[in-house]
Amino acid sequence: MKKIFFLIIIFLFSEFSAQEKIILWPKGEMPNSKILASKIKKKKELAELKEVELFAFLPPVKERNQKSVIIIPGGGYSKLTYNEGAFQIAKWMNTLGISAFFLNYRLPTSSDLVQKEIAPLQDIQASIKYIRKNASQWGISPEQLGVVGTSAGGHLATLVSNISKDFTELKGDWETISSIPNFAILFCPVIDLGEYAHKGSRDSLLGENVSTEKISEFSTQNLVTDKTPPTILFHNQDDTAVPPMNSILYFKAMTKNKVKGALFIFPKGGHRFFVTDKDPLNQNWKKLCADWLSSIGNK
C-alpha cells in the first residue's frame, strides 16, 4: 500500500506571519505529477509549485472556536495571487476565532502534470482530508471545515463542494475521510465556463479548443445538488473580469436544490473584496459574512 506522509514545519518569522507551514505531498510521491522545480514568476504570484503547501493562521487558543477554513486564492488558474486580500481574509477570520489555512495548489498550466484539470482538485481534497484527520491538534472540529474561494479559487471551491469522487489516491484510513467541505464562502467566483466565462480561467483549466461537453462538465452550477454545502456568495455588479451572472447562476442552482445560503451583489467594487475596503456599502461584507458564519453554528 502506497504511503503518504506530511511534513509540518513550525516557523515564527515568515513573510506571511503564519504559525505553521504544512507540505502535503512528499517529494516524488505527489499524484498526477512529474515533479518540477518551483519557479517564482512575479513577486507574490506563484506560477509553478514543487510542493503543495498549506499556511496555517491560528487564533490564540483561548479565542479559538471549532470552525476553520481553507482559503483558495485566485489567479485565473495560471498563477496564484495572494497579494489581493487573501492573507487579510485569513487574519480577519482569526479575529472571529476561526482558524484559517491558506492553500498554494498546483496549477493546470504546469508542465509537471499528467492530467492537468484534476490537479487543483486533488490538492484541495487532500488538504480537507489532512485538516480533518489532524483537527484535534489545533482544537478544531473536523465537521466545521469550510472553504473560501476567490475568483478562480471560487471555481475550485465549488468543484470540491460538489464532487464526491476522491481523486487524491490516498489509501487506508484516508479513504474514509470526506473531502466535501461543510460550508463555502465565495468572492467573485468563476462558476460558468460557457457564456459568462472568464476566458483565461477556462483556457488554463481545460485548454483553448475545449468541447461543449467539457465546458458543461466543469461549469459548476451544473454540479449543484441537495448535498451541496451551505454557501454564501459576494460579487460586484461592475465586475468586468468575472461577470456577476456567475454567482447568480450558482445561487439559482442552490435555490432549485434547496441548498442553504445567501447571495450579495454590491453596485461597485470591480473584481475584488478587501478586508480594508473603506467603501461605506462594500465594507458591510464583513458583517454579513460574520453573521452568516454564526448562523450556521459555532460550537
Side-chain angles (χ1 to χ4, degrees):
M1 183 182 297
K2 184 177 178 181
K3 294 183 179 180
I4 187 167
F5 67 88
F6 298 84
L7 174 64
I8 301 179
I9 302 172
I10 308 297
F11 63 97
L12 299 176
F13 302 105
S14 75
E15 177 185 359
F16 314 124
S17 299
Q19 292 130 320
E20 294 182 12
K21 176 183 175 181
I22 304 163
I23 298 175
L24 286 180
W25 309 106
K27 186 175 181 180
E29 294 190 33
M30 196 157 46
N32 190 27
S33 175
K34 302 169 188 175
I35 304 299
L36 287 179
S38 179
K39 298 177 182 178
I40 301 297
K41 185 176 181 181
K42 292 181 181 179
K43 183 180 180 182
K44 294 190 176 181
E45 292 184 356
L46 298 184
E48 208 162 275
L49 290 177
K50 180 180 179 181
E51 298 168 318
V52 178
E53 304 162 318
L54 278 171
F55 294 94
F57 294 80
L58 306 173
V61 174
K62 291 183 179 180
E63 300 174 12
R64 195 176 306 172
N65 60 48
Q66 294 287 290
K67 282 196 181 71
S68 62
V69 295
I70 301 175
I71 297 173
I72 310 172
Y77 279 128
S78 63
K79 60 182 181 291
L80 299 181
T81 54
Y82 54 87
N83 60 335
E84 297 181 357
F87 281 112
Q88 293 177 7
I89 292 174
K91 293 176 181 179
W92 177 74
M93 286 286 176
N94 287 172
T95 69
L96 303 178
I98 297 172
S99 300
F101 299 84
F102 185 92
L103 176 63
N104 280 342
Y105 56 93
R106 288 174 294 167
L107 296 163
T109 51
S110 172
S111 57
D112 184 39
L113 301 174
V114 178
Q115 188 178 352
K116 68 175 190 172
E117 69 268 20
I118 69 168
L121 182 59
Q122 287 175 312
D123 295 342
I124 181 59
Q125 285 185 333
S127 299
I128 290 172
K129 285 173 175 283
Y130 179 78
I131 292 171
R132 283 189 167 138
K133 187 178 179 71
N134 295 278
S136 61
Q137 77 178 55
W138 295 297
I140 58 179
S141 169
E143 301 306 322
Q144 294 194 56
L145 171 60
V147 289
V148 179
T150 61
S151 193
H155 184 264
L156 183 52
T158 55
L159 280 178
V160 79
S161 291
N162 293 286
I163 294 178
S164 59
K165 181 179 178 180
D166 186 353
F167 287 93
T168 65
E169 301 180 17
L170 295 171
K171 303 301 181 183
D173 58 353
W174 292 99
E175 296 178 273
T176 66
I177 303 173
S178 173
S179 60
I180 301 288
N182 299 104
F183 59 91
I185 301 169
L186 309 177
F187 296 97
C188 306
V190 173
I191 299 294
D192 182 56
L193 297 186
E195 181 180 358
Y196 302 102
H198 177 255
K199 187 176 183 300
S201 296
R202 182 181 65 198
D203 291 352
S204 293
L205 183 65
L206 302 178
E208 294 185 9
N209 299 310
V210 60
S211 68
T212 55
E213 290 78 15
K214 202 74 170 178
I215 287 173
S216 178
E217 178 185 351
F218 280 85
S219 293
T220 57
Q221 74 270 24
N222 299 329
L223 303 179
V224 175
T225 69
D226 60 357
K227 303 298 183 184
T228 299
T231 302
I232 187 171
L233 303 98
F234 297 95
H235 224 117
N236 293 315
Q237 190 175 18
D238 64 350
D239 186 342
T240 58
V242 179
M245 277 301 298
N246 282 266
S247 285
I248 293 170
L249 287 171
Y250 195 79
F251 187 72
K252 180 180 178 181
M254 287 170 53
T255 302
K256 179 180 178 181
N257 288 278
K258 297 180 172 56
V259 177
K260 294 180 179 180
L263 167 63
F264 297 95
I265 298 180
F266 296 90
K268 62 180 182 178
H271 188 59
R272 67 172 208 172
F273 278 89
F274 287 169
V275 171
T276 55
D277 200 328
K278 300 301 181 184
D279 182 278
L281 185 57
N282 287 54
Q283 66 178 341
N284 287 313
W285 77 259
K286 296 188 289 293
K287 184 179 188 310
L288 292 168
C289 188
D291 289 346
W292 183 79
L293 283 166
S294 294
S295 75
I296 59 173
N298 188 23
K299 297 179 182 179

